[in-house]
Amino acid sequence: MRTYGPRFLAVMLLVSAAGAHGSPVTRTSPSLSVAAIAQSATAASTPAEKTFSNEELDQMMAQVALYPDSLLAQVLMASTYPGDVADAVKWSKAHPDAKGEAAVKQVANEAWDPSVQSLVAFPQLLAVLGQDPSWVQKMGDAFLAQPEAVMDSVQRLRRQAEAAGNLKSNEQQKVTTQPAPPPAAGATTTTTQPASQTIVIEPTNPEVVYVPSYNPSVVYGSWAYPSYPPYYYPPPAYYYPGAALFSFGIGVAVGGALWGNCNWGGGDIDIDVDRYNNFNSNRQINRGDNTWRHNAANRDGVPYRDRASREQYGRQLDGAGQRDQYRGRDGARTADRDRARQSMEQRGIQPPAASNREAQQRAGQASRDIAQQPRSRDQASARQGRTGDAQRPSQSNAQARQGSRDAYSGSRAAQDNNAFSGSRNPSQSRSNASRGHGSYQSSQRPSSSRGGGRPVSRPSRGGGGARRR
């Protein structure tokens, strides 16, 4: 009896249902109809993967949702390269006076993605992103896996801040509303009812950008998800003097450092190609590349969170080899370094640390060794003395060994002579034996007849050379 799989049975049920309701079924090409129905059934039975829920998205986006659109777009792009962001944070800390367009030009030769290079114009922003690298990576993963959902989250948060009276136009920013564009073809909505308006935030002066600072727990009013409180990473106080609810620090003259903008209708980021090429002279793009695309070669091996992103970006894209050359990576130079490291290990020389963690461990071990030296000063002196003895000239050692052999040979010869000396004089040997026998008999007499009560000493029969009294 032939058995059928569950998918085949599902297809047949759909075909039967279509016939029962009078739906036309193509008879001329039955295989095509069945295949189309099977594809529909498979798509319906396989729900789309949802990496983050709305609650999680609002939680992670609350910190940056009220940034100007151009700066928000730069943050979203850069967050997909968390390793480069971490490097930019370190660079900014090492160059505290660098900001604006001048700072971005200083890192033009760094092997970071251009979106990350633009962020060094805002040291106060990098101070926020540097507080939680895992948050930065989650934000980037969310934007790669669910770009439309991330955009919806930002608009949802902006409407909450506006309803609470905390999002308004002022000297630093301009807040406007626009009719919400229709959803893109194939896009999935994350809310029960699509929003009727889109809130846009722009700098009052396009050449000067202010990074706002606010407490998400307050500025959005009553938080809708108590189980998912918003992330809050306050920047250093010297960037924002005062304690206003919604503060703006010193404006940053960005020039051409910002070249992206949020495309609210398409759920992606638009690129101003002319602005990008004028600023990134060593990384030109084609005029048709006006939509941002993630470059997996700049990911630096950081794993992707969702399956779709792993399949799309998991393999190195074209141009990764060129990026290695840009970083100064060369196969021949790598082989030379490996050979040099092996040679050092064979000679007992410790190779350089392979990571910061290993270097810190070595430094800690060295500190512990130094701390233990004063406590073992006497032991060190004793070891030094023994070492000095061990390092005497080899000639002295040879003389000592020869003296020991001579003494042993002399003692052995004396023993041999004593053992066989009686064989050459039998009468003398008998006389010695008689004298010894007489001494033994006298030792057996009472002490009063032997020595007038004087103590007598004799060699002990036990070992060790002790004397018994």
Side-chain angles (χ1 to χ4, degrees):
M1 179 178 179
R2 184 177 181 181
T3 59
Y4 299 93
R7 179 172 294 182
F8 179 85
L9 295 177
V11 171
M12 296 307 298
L13 288 175
L14 289 174
V15 173
S16 301
H21 288 81
S23 300
V25 178
T26 304
R27 301 298 182 185
T28 56
S29 180
S31 60
L32 182 60
S33 274
V34 171
I37 296 174
Q39 184 177 3
S40 301
T42 303
S45 61
T46 306
E49 183 179 2
K50 192 173 184 180
T51 306
F52 297 100
S53 64
N54 290 348
E55 295 82 357
E56 292 173 310
L57 292 174
D58 288 2
Q59 180 186 47
M60 72 176 69
M61 297 305 300
Q63 179 79 49
V64 299
L66 303 185
Y67 285 0
D69 289 10
S70 56
L71 183 59
L72 174 63
Q74 219 74 33
V75 170
L76 291 176
M77 290 186 290
S79 64
T80 64
Y81 311 104
D84 286 354
V85 172
D87 291 341
V89 170
K90 295 179 182 178
W91 186 92
S92 183
K93 289 181 179 179
H95 302 78
D97 297 331
K99 64 179 180 179
E101 185 178 9
V104 182
K105 290 182 178 180
Q106 292 182 40
V107 298
N109 293 328
E110 297 288 345
W112 308 336
D113 189 83
S115 62
V116 179
Q117 292 180 349
S118 296
L119 294 186
V120 300
F122 308 94
Q124 65 271 46
L125 172 58
L126 287 177
V128 171
L129 297 178
Q131 296 183 42
D132 190 354
S134 62
W135 162 55
V136 175
Q137 182 175 349
K138 286 175 61 178
M139 187 162 48
D141 290 340
F143 186 62
L144 289 175
Q146 302 165 259
E148 297 89 356
V150 170
M151 295 295 192
D152 289 345
S153 173
V154 172
Q155 287 298 317
R156 201 162 46 242
L157 292 168
R158 289 183 176 184
R159 287 192 293 270
Q160 293 179 21
E162 186 181 45
N166 296 321
L167 182 59
K168 301 176 182 178
S169 298
N170 51 33
E171 297 179 358
Q172 293 83 15
Q173 64 183 13
K174 182 174 61 175
V175 180
T176 59
T177 57
Q178 301 174 358
T188 57
T189 59
T190 58
T191 56
T192 56
Q193 293 181 354
S196 59
Q197 290 183 333
T198 297
I199 299 178
V200 177
I201 303 176
E202 300 172 304
T204 303
N205 181 356
E207 300 300 324
V208 180
V209 176
Y210 293 84
V211 182
S213 175
Y214 53 88
N215 187 342
S217 301
V218 179
V219 76
Y220 293 112
S222 179
W223 189 252
Y225 317 113
S227 300
Y228 295 88
Y231 294 157
Y232 178 39
Y233 305 102
Y238 55 84
Y239 287 121
Y240 299 89
L245 176 64
F246 206 102
S247 302
F248 294 92
I250 300 175
V252 178
V254 295
L258 298 183
W259 34 260
N261 209 347
C262 295
N263 179 11
W264 299 110
D268 53 24
I269 294 175
D270 291 335
I271 303 298
D272 188 332
V273 178
D274 293 335
R275 194 179 183 97
Y276 176 94
N277 287 336
N278 289 336
F279 196 80
N280 299 282
S281 57
N282 58 344
R283 299 184 181 185
Q284 300 289 292
I285 60 176
N286 297 327
R287 183 167 295 276
D289 296 335
N290 57 356
T291 300
W292 176 77
R293 291 192 297 269
H294 174 69
N295 185 1
N298 291 347
R299 182 78 172 185
D300 284 341
V302 178
Y304 293 94
R305 187 183 188 94
D306 63 296
R307 177 180 54 81
S309 296
R310 289 193 297 270
E311 293 177 354
Q312 183 176 359
Y313 306 115
R315 297 182 298 273
Q316 273 196 333
L317 301 181
D318 296 338
Q322 297 178 0
R323 188 169 187 266
D324 287 342
Q325 294 176 3
Y326 182 81
R327 285 183 179 270
R329 297 171 180 168
D330 181 73
R333 292 172 60 185
T334 302
D336 292 340
R337 285 194 296 267
D338 293 340
R339 285 193 294 268
R341 185 179 294 107
Q342 293 175 2
S343 177
M344 292 171 63
E345 293 176 353
Q346 292 174 358
R347 297 176 183 178
I349 302 175
Q350 190 176 24
S355 62
N356 291 337
R357 178 177 297 178
E358 183 178 351
Q360 293 174 357
Q361 291 176 352
R362 291 184 183 180
Q365 183 62 41
S367 300
R368 290 190 293 271
D369 294 342
I370 294 174
Q372 292 175 358
Q373 286 180 1
R375 290 177 292 179
S376 59
R377 186 174 300 170
D378 296 338
Q379 298 177 1
S381 300
R383 285 196 301 269
Q384 185 176 1
R386 289 195 299 270
T387 303
D389 294 339
Q391 293 179 351
R392 289 175 182 174
S394 59
Q395 183 177 1
S396 300
N397 295 337
Q399 292 176 356
R401 289 194 296 270
Q402 183 63 36
S404 299
R405 286 195 294 268
D406 293 343
Y408 175 79
S409 300
S411 175
R412 186 67 181 174
Q415 293 176 4
D416 293 342
N417 291 335
N418 292 335
F420 297 100
S421 58
S423 62
R424 292 190 291 271
N425 193 350
S427 59
Q428 182 67 31
S429 177
R430 285 193 297 272
S431 175
N432 292 339
S434 299
R435 186 166 56 252
H437 182 68
S439 299
Y440 174 76
Q441 289 179 346
S442 64
S443 65
Q444 302 299 321
R445 294 197 302 268
S447 58
S448 58
S449 61
R450 288 202 303 266
R454 293 192 302 272
V456 178
S457 299
R458 64 174 59 84
S460 173
R461 296 184 182 181
R467 302 174 69 86
R468 186 174 60 188
R469 296 184 182 273

